[in-house]
């Protein structure tokens, strides 16, 4: 019958959703609790490079604020 496809459909759906959710959590864990930043244009790349310089740790996700500017 038609309901016999439901377990297979549920399994395939879970296999498609779980990697995306895990990737988001892994990025958040490795970036110090912040979301992954993507530089899609030169201006965003410039801002990420600026944040690396300002942070003092050479990581864009650890910038604290104006107190790090030397």
């Amino acid at each position: 019958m038609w309901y016999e496809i439901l377990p297979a459909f549920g399994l395939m759906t879970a296999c498609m959703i779980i990697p995306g959710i895990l990737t988001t959590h892994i990025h958040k864990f490795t970036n110090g609790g912040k979301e992954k930043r993507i530089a899609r244009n030169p201006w965003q790349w410039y801002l990420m490079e600026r944040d690396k310089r300002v942070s003092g740790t050479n990581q864009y996700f650890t910038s604290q604020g104006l107190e790090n500017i030397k």
Side-chain angles (χ1 to χ4, degrees):
M1 300 305 281
W2 65 270
Y3 53 83
E4 292 175 351
I5 194 75
L6 293 179
F9 179 73
L11 182 63
M12 287 188 299
T13 303
C15 289
M16 297 296 277
I17 291 175
I18 290 173
I21 293 172
L22 286 179
T23 301
T24 302
H25 288 290
I26 289 170
H27 285 163
K28 194 178 239 186
F29 176 74
T30 58
N31 288 340
K34 296 183 180 179
E35 296 291 329
K36 179 181 175 189
R37 288 176 63 183
I38 301 172
R40 293 193 172 109
N41 55 43
W43 176 249
Q44 291 173 339
W45 180 259
Y46 170 75
L47 292 177
M48 288 176 65
E49 290 297 314
R50 182 204 59 186
D51 290 346
K52 278 185 184 180
R53 287 192 314 271
V54 170
S55 72
T57 62
N58 204 23
Q59 296 174 333
Y60 67 86
F61 56 85
T62 57
S63 60
Q64 301 292 324
L66 294 176
E67 66 271 6
N68 287 339
I69 297 177
K70 297 173 183 168

